[in-house]
Amino acid sequence: MTAIQYKAAMQAEILNRRRKEYRKQERIMGSSGLNKRVFSLADKSHGQGGIFYSWQRAHGNYLATTGFDHAVRIYDRHGELKEEINLPGMCTGLGWDSDGDILGIVCEKSTAIILWDANSHRTTQIDSGLKDTMTFLKWSNTGPQLAVGTLKGNLMIYNHQTSRKIPIIGKHIKKITCGAWSAENLLALGSEDKTISISNADGDTLRQATLRADPAEIDFSEMKGDERSAIGQNTVSVVVGKKTLFLYNINDPENPIELAFQQRYGSIISYKWYGDGYILIGFSHGYFVVISTHLKEIGQVVDKRGKLHVVSEELFQARNHKDSLASIAISTSLNKAASCGDNCIKVHDLSDLKEMYAIITLDDERGLDKIGWTDDGQLLAVSTQRGNLHVYLARLPMLAAVTQTRIAHLTSLLEVTIDDLVTKEPPITIAIEVEPSFLGIGQYHVAVGMNNRAWFYLLGDDGPQRLKDREYLGTVQSISLNGDYAAVSFEGKVQLHMIEGETTAATDERETRLFPGKDDRDVRITCHDMTPEFLIYGTDRGDVRYFFIEDWQFVVEYRHVAGIRKLFPDASGTRLVFVDEKTDGYVYNAVNDTVIDIPNFSASIKGVLWENWQLDKSVFVAYDSEKLYTYVYCRESVTGSQVLYVGETRLPYGQIPIMLHNGEITLQTQSGKLGNLQLNTHSHVFHENPQDLKPAELSIAAQQCIKLRRFRDAWIFCHYVNRKEVWVELGRAALHSLDLDFAIRVYRNIGDVGMVTSLQKVKSIEDKNLLSGYIAMFLGEFNPSQDLFLASSYPLAALEMRRDLLHWDSALQLAKALAPEQISYISREYAQQLEFTGDYMNSLSHYEKGITKDEKARDHDEICAAGIARMSIRTGDIRRGVAMAMKMSSKSLKKECAGILESMKQWTEAATLYEQGHYYDKAASVYIRGKNWNKVGELLQHITSPKIHAQYAKAKEADGRYKEAAEAYKMAKEWDHVIRINLEFLQNPEEAVKIVQETQSVEGAKMVAKFFQRLNDYASAIQFLVMSKCNDEAFQLAQSHNQMEIYADIIGSDATPEDYQSIAVHFENEKNHYLSGKFFLLSGQYSRAMKHFLRCNGEDSQAIELAIETVGRANDDQLTHQLIDFLMGETDGMPKDAKYLFRLYMALKQYREAARTAIIIAREEQSAGNYRNAHDVLFSMYQELKDNKIKIPAEMATNLMILHSYILAKIHIKRGDHLKGARMLIRVANNISKFPSHIVPLLTSTVIECQRSGLKNSAFSYAAMLMRPEYRNQIDLKYKKKIEMIVRKPDKTEEDEPLSPCPVCGFQLPETELMCPECKNNLPYCIITGRHVVSEDLTACHTCDFPAIFPEFIKLLESEESCPMCAEKVIRENLQKITDTKKYMFPEEGVTE
């Protein structure tokens, strides 16, 4: 084995052992990242005793250690020894300069200062010039100064940049033990002489303070206050005697503060300033305390011994360690604090100290000593009292690269893991040789590297394999890979080269290329990225260039106005986000070479992630250190391409987004692990069962889908929300995105017919600008709509839109450029609007501009001329306006102008125009205002307005022209004034009375009544007093002049009960029982009324009728019995006519008794030969029973039928229809006993009519009846011989009566038969013919509702006007055939017994 092979094998073995050590020492504590021990220094690496160390500042790449072995060793961050410096004595001071380039060392037994250069690894010595032992060393935080203190209190300040040394002898009188530099380059020193001094960079003492005990742990900071100090770090803090913390304000040296703490805490071990004036203090008994230095939070307390102490309010306190606390440390980059004690390290988050971030337990250690972070917080070192030192990985370098859904990320300092969280492929781990500073991944390769070197690994089927390493011409900032090529950025250049070297298809020219080319030497590339087809880079000159790898040439070049800082292409490279030097963000589309501003773009954006999910590829996320901002890029929209801001999501502290897939962000954590975070903008988008969501959640989901332009998903959520405003928002979003089909679907769903119709009309437009213009107009975005219309193939659409919107100024401007011939018409429309809003001057101007003088536009010119006339009057040019209005034929114009003049109180001109326009009422009204009565009189014949007539009448009355005034008042229909004029001035009471009677004027009646009173015509006076509702006055007048009967007749039924009572009492006193009873009845006093009615003459039918009415109204049994007794004759022994009893029963609604009485009355009337009266009594009773749904007695119905047959017989004979008359007389003759007064005449008429009608047999039968002895001598001599001849020579030939169907069952039976032998029903009879009705031709009288045969009723109405049953007039048009015959066939249904 050669030496080279041996060396390579040894390096590989060391690397392998190091990795095993890492895995062996791992102890996972949550997700903290303090989970790996990077390396440890073996026991007694510096001999017996403890070990002291110092991390390289800024970079943290080196750790310097020393101990009691008189040596300083320098290790790299992996624990590999890089340098060992032997010292002549024990090291007394060790520290790095502010840049971390120089390590300074001082020791016993030497006056030289040793400096080690971290870049060149060279050691130099500088003579301090000090004679005593150096005990202290401290580099400035901001400058090249190094302060060195000695055992005797001397000081030397060395400037490494200028090599100048400034010795200060006697700065202190004893050993300098501690010190610190401020941000303002002031030096504070503490000494065993119990003083502290504050000096400038030249060593001049500025302040000095004496302490009560030895100082330790001196530091600079700024106390918390209401106002910021002008000096900055204005406070020196120092531990005094390990018990108190002394705060010395440089601005207020006379009032230092010494803070005391609880004795149970123990001694102060260490303290650290952080935040806005907060101090973290560690105590020996394990306590961990945070205090504030704000003066308002510092107070005084007295202990048990009466001693006064200054204390600060404790913001946090915890006992981190049970036995003891050894050290504390703070990492501002991690915002973490750590303490060590016992055998563990505890880490807190400074933003929430109550939560423990991590705990590291060192099982093999017991006495921990010092703890310290690197400046970047990546490594944490802890030393032990036995001399051991352990270094832990606190935070990994957060390196990651993504290709499609594969993520390569650093999981350890020497390990890269490839994960695919979408496809869930097993992770691939790659062991690397160096701690990388850059990382890249392609389709088949991974590249890592540091400085100017990169290592490439092949991701093959057999696992990752190292391909090669490559060096570049400068320090690499970043690397990007695709399937075949790598692009490396260094020193403002990008080198593109093949990853696997030459291939069969490659040439030397296509092997590698350096950008920019020779023509752009002054251009610096600031950023780059790769896609499968392109290398894309941006320059400080503002160039964005696309290099097409396949053709090996540039295909896209874009020049921006400012330099490009960062760019982030999507997976295809067709779209990218770039950030310029002004920190503005833009989206560039390489396909159409458009650039779009990104709204709400944070100035501190660190990166951009494009959505990997294909259905949402227009979504991207920008992020800074605190938030993620979600955007949607819309390539097609109404206003062209645009970027929409969707929302923001808070980014967890210390985590970096590296991939976006379907709304979920993959995050890289400080521990090297990957985490997931769902964007707030996608929080409700993914739900398999949207019906399970609450209404509020559904609304949020719909809103999110709309903003993300996921319209199909939004439809589902909108369906479940089902609120119109959400649907409208979805429709508007679809329109903005020019998705017209979907928008039509949405608007059709919500029933917006107008929008659907409008969209369908414009849907087929191919001109994108024209289409977008219409969509913007539909959305109410008129200015963008105009711009789009003007850029389209039909710019006149902009003019049409502005005209429709009444935006006249814009319309005129557009018309000048697009359609000058339209200016006149637009000016007219604009003038009309200005006139409406009251801007008359401008309206007049535009009306004048609207005149065309073109015969074809005559109507338009007339409208403009009318406008000029109106506006001339409005603006004060009355003469011009009136003249123009008079010339024009338009009546409406004259009316408008006259109205304007009237409002301006120009009465004469206004009235003239009204008169010219034939608006006579208005003209007269205006003439009246101008007191021009003569003109009013001329127009009076044309005036219809009562008001004007009244005004004219008043004027004439004032002039004493009463007749004309009366006529005018009459035209005005002011009748009271007409009556007054006739009575008072014209002495024409007849006219006044006539008018009162016609108009029923109350006031007029009063005037007439007073007039007649003056004439002592009391009857007339009473009549008009009653008419004027002055009943009391009328009563008194009637009473005083014995005119009560006239008053009683006049008052009628319109008076009050009190009025009636007064009249009744008057007649009672006059012993006029009838009138007294009448008015007691009207006043409602029924008992008194009955008393007076019964005192009247028994034959007084009017009194009896009113007595019956009284009983009916009173509904009083006592009064009823009293009247019945009177009617039956029990009171005076004189029974009264039965008709009164009938009427009484009717009044009492005792219809059955009334029916029985009616039958009796009818029988009496029949006996007396008053057949019509009997018929009317039965008919009225029949109707009453029917109306009250009471069953009709069979006797009443039969008697009414017989009597009606008698009446019909007379009607038919009169009309010459002898056959029908004969049939009815046969029915009467068959019931001749019901006509006792006229038996012989009726039988005689029957014989004669039967003989005439050819009913010979019936004539013989009734003639034979007349030949009976009791009737023979009563036969009229004129018919006696004829009747005897019929009997002597009988002719019994007679045709059978015609048949017609039964209306119930259809059985054929004789026409006049009213009982069906088949169905046994009594059949209704026709009130015209007396026959039974037939269902096909059924009708009824519209008054009495009795049935009839329709054609027969029509025939009757040719000669008669009234119904034979009810005698009421019948109108031919009111007769209708009846289809529902049930109520006539079965009248008993629905009635009570």
Side-chain angles (χ1 to χ4, degrees), residues 1053-1300:
S1053 59
D1054 296 331
T1056 63
E1058 291 78 11
D1059 292 335
Y1060 291 132
Q1061 183 179 352
S1062 300
I1063 297 170
V1065 170
H1066 173 81
F1067 284 119
E1068 188 178 32
N1069 294 332
E1070 296 288 330
K1071 306 299 183 182
N1072 188 335
H1073 297 297
Y1074 174 74
L1075 291 176
S1076 178
K1078 175 182 176 182
F1079 286 100
F1080 274 128
L1081 171 61
L1082 292 173
S1083 67
Q1085 299 185 37
Y1086 304 117
S1087 298
R1088 296 179 72 176
M1090 179 63 74
K1091 181 179 72 173
H1092 286 287
F1093 287 138
L1094 296 183
R1095 287 182 182 178
C1096 294
N1097 185 357
E1099 298 301 323
D1100 190 345
S1101 61
Q1102 289 184 336
I1104 297 174
E1105 294 284 356
L1106 289 176
I1108 292 170
E1109 184 179 348
T1110 302
V1111 170
R1113 288 192 191 182
N1115 197 21
D1116 186 324
D1117 291 342
Q1118 184 178 353
L1119 293 180
T1120 303
H1121 293 310
Q1122 189 177 351
L1123 180 59
I1124 291 173
D1125 291 344
F1126 174 76
L1127 294 175
M1128 300 299 292
E1130 294 181 8
T1131 304
D1132 55 3
M1134 295 174 59
K1136 308 302 182 292
D1137 196 330
K1139 66 182 180 180
Y1140 297 122
L1141 192 61
F1142 165 71
R1143 289 174 184 164
L1144 173 63
Y1145 286 134
M1146 290 295 291
L1148 294 173
K1149 297 183 180 180
Q1150 296 179 3
Y1151 299 112
R1152 291 185 178 82
E1153 290 79 0
R1156 286 193 289 270
T1157 307
I1159 293 170
I1160 295 168
I1161 294 169
R1163 192 179 299 141
E1164 291 177 356
E1165 292 287 353
Q1166 279 181 265
S1167 299
N1170 300 324
Y1171 305 122
R1172 185 74 206 191
N1173 290 345
H1175 176 277
D1176 291 345
V1177 169
L1178 290 176
F1179 169 72
S1180 62
M1181 192 64 238
Y1182 189 102
Q1183 292 295 82
E1184 287 287 343
L1185 294 174
K1186 187 168 72 170
D1187 291 344
N1188 289 277
K1189 296 185 178 179
I1190 296 174
K1191 185 177 180 181
I1192 311 297
E1195 184 182 356
M1196 176 183 286
T1198 301
N1199 289 347
L1200 179 61
M1201 181 267 295
I1202 295 169
L1203 286 170
H1204 190 67
S1205 298
Y1206 169 76
I1207 290 170
L1208 287 178
K1210 292 174 70 176
I1211 292 172
H1212 291 318
I1213 293 168
K1214 179 182 174 183
R1215 294 178 64 239
D1217 192 343
H1218 298 288
L1219 178 60
K1220 289 178 183 172
R1223 294 291 184 192
M1224 291 299 101
L1225 284 173
I1226 290 171
R1227 184 182 290 165
V1228 170
N1230 289 336
N1231 296 277
I1232 196 64
S1233 62
K1234 296 185 182 295
F1235 301 89
S1237 299
H1238 297 84
I1239 293 175
V1240 173
L1242 284 174
L1243 290 174
T1244 302
S1245 297
T1246 304
V1247 172
I1248 292 169
E1249 290 302 315
C1250 287
Q1251 189 70 18
R1252 280 183 182 176
S1253 304
L1255 303 178
K1256 309 276 181 160
N1257 190 39
S1258 297
F1260 170 76
S1261 299
Y1262 295 114
M1265 190 183 295
L1266 278 173
M1267 291 297 103
R1268 291 177 185 175
E1270 62 267 28
Y1271 303 136
R1272 187 169 186 171
N1273 294 328
Q1274 299 178 33
I1275 301 173
D1276 192 339
L1277 295 176
K1278 146 171 99 165
Y1279 301 113
K1280 189 171 184 181
K1281 288 183 180 181
K1282 190 174 183 179
I1283 293 171
E1284 288 175 350
M1285 284 296 292
I1286 293 171
V1287 173
R1288 289 191 188 105
K1289 297 180 180 180
D1291 183 358
K1292 297 185 180 181
T1293 61
E1294 182 176 334
E1295 292 183 5
D1296 292 336
E1297 186 178 353
L1299 303 179
S1300 62

Side-chain angles (χ1 to χ4, degrees), residues 479-621:
I479 187 169
S480 299
L481 284 69
N482 65 12
D484 300 315
Y485 286 84
V488 181
S489 171
F490 56 86
E491 297 180 359
K493 296 179 176 59
V494 169
Q495 183 175 353
L496 177 68
H497 65 85
M498 295 194 74
I499 298 174
E500 298 192 30
E502 296 182 355
T503 62
T504 56
T507 64
D508 292 341
E509 181 184 314
R510 298 175 63 89
E511 179 75 24
T512 183
R513 181 166 174 173
L514 188 65
F515 301 92
K518 296 178 181 180
D519 297 336
D520 296 318
R521 291 181 178 177
D522 57 339
V523 175
R524 182 179 179 83
I525 295 177
T526 55
C527 50
H528 82 286
D529 207 334
M530 289 190 74
T531 67
E533 290 83 18
F534 302 104
L535 163 66
I536 308 167
Y537 66 81
T539 70
D540 58 355
R541 192 172 63 185
D543 298 314
V544 175
R545 307 189 74 177
Y546 278 66
F547 184 78
F548 188 31
I549 298 173
E550 183 176 344
D551 292 348
W552 207 250
Q553 63 180 0
F554 289 102
V555 291
V556 175
E557 295 186 23
Y558 166 73
R559 173 69 63 86
H560 188 57
V561 294
I564 309 298
R565 288 177 53 190
K566 303 173 185 176
L567 57 77
F568 309 93
D570 66 357
S572 64
T574 55
R575 295 171 293 188
L576 63 81
V577 174
F578 69 83
V579 183
D580 64 13
E581 291 177 345
K582 298 177 183 178
T583 67
D584 294 327
Y586 302 88
V587 173
Y588 174 66
N589 189 325
V591 177
N592 54 21
D593 198 36
T594 56
V595 174
I596 309 298
D597 290 347
I598 301 177
N600 302 328
F601 197 74
S602 170
S604 56
I605 289 297
K606 294 184 175 181
V608 173
L609 301 175
W610 285 90
E611 175 63 76
N612 266 312
W613 192 47
Q614 283 300 313
L615 297 180
D616 246 359
K617 60 183 179 180
S618 295
V619 175
F620 65 90
V621 168

Side-chain angles (χ1 to χ4, degrees), residues 883-913:
M884 291 187 70
M886 295 286 281
K887 283 182 185 178
M888 299 182 70
S889 60
S890 172
K891 289 184 178 182
S892 60
L893 173 62
K894 292 181 175 66
K895 182 180 180 182
E896 291 167 357
C897 292
I900 297 169
L901 289 165
E902 185 180 358
S903 66
M904 298 168 67
K905 299 184 179 179
Q906 303 295 320
W907 311 123
T908 303
E909 293 82 355
T912 302
L913 284 176

Side-chain angles (χ1 to χ4, degrees), residues 682-833:
H682 294 64
S683 58
H684 291 74
V685 170
F686 310 106
H687 206 283
E688 293 181 359
N689 299 307
Q691 65 272 16
D692 297 337
L693 293 175
K694 297 178 181 177
E697 293 174 335
L698 283 169
S699 295
I700 293 171
Q703 295 284 348
Q704 289 180 350
C705 289
I706 292 170
K707 288 182 178 180
L708 293 169
R709 296 305 188 256
R710 293 186 171 194
F711 293 141
R712 273 62 187 169
D713 294 337
W715 176 279
I716 296 170
F717 292 116
C718 287
H719 171 73
Y720 287 106
V721 174
N722 201 24
R723 290 207 317 268
K724 185 175 180 179
E725 60 269 21
V726 181
W727 281 112
V728 170
E729 187 174 352
L730 175 59
R732 290 179 65 88
L735 286 179
H736 266 292
S737 299
L738 295 183
D739 191 346
L740 297 194
D741 289 331
F742 188 81
I744 290 171
R745 180 185 172 199
V746 171
Y747 284 111
R748 182 178 286 122
N749 184 67
I750 61 177
D752 192 338
V753 178
M755 183 64 86
V756 172
T757 305
S758 300
L759 291 175
Q760 287 177 337
K761 286 181 180 178
V762 303
K763 180 181 173 183
S764 59
I765 295 175
E766 295 182 358
D767 186 331
K768 182 181 175 184
N769 286 330
L770 184 59
L771 175 62
S772 298
Y774 281 119
I775 299 302
M777 182 178 71
F778 297 156
L779 294 172
E781 299 170 0
F782 303 120
N783 290 336
S785 176
Q786 176 176 313
D787 296 339
L788 289 163
F789 281 141
L790 292 176
S792 73
S793 58
Y794 183 61
L796 278 175
L799 176 59
E800 294 170 359
M801 178 189 73
R802 290 300 182 185
R803 289 184 69 173
D804 292 340
L805 293 171
L806 309 182
H807 294 171
W808 302 114
D809 287 326
S810 300
L812 283 171
Q813 293 295 325
L814 291 169
K816 288 177 184 178
L818 301 174
E821 70 279 0
Q822 292 293 319
I823 292 177
S824 298
Y825 300 99
I826 296 172
S827 295
R828 184 200 76 197
E829 294 171 355
Y830 193 9
Q832 289 172 332
Q833 184 183 4

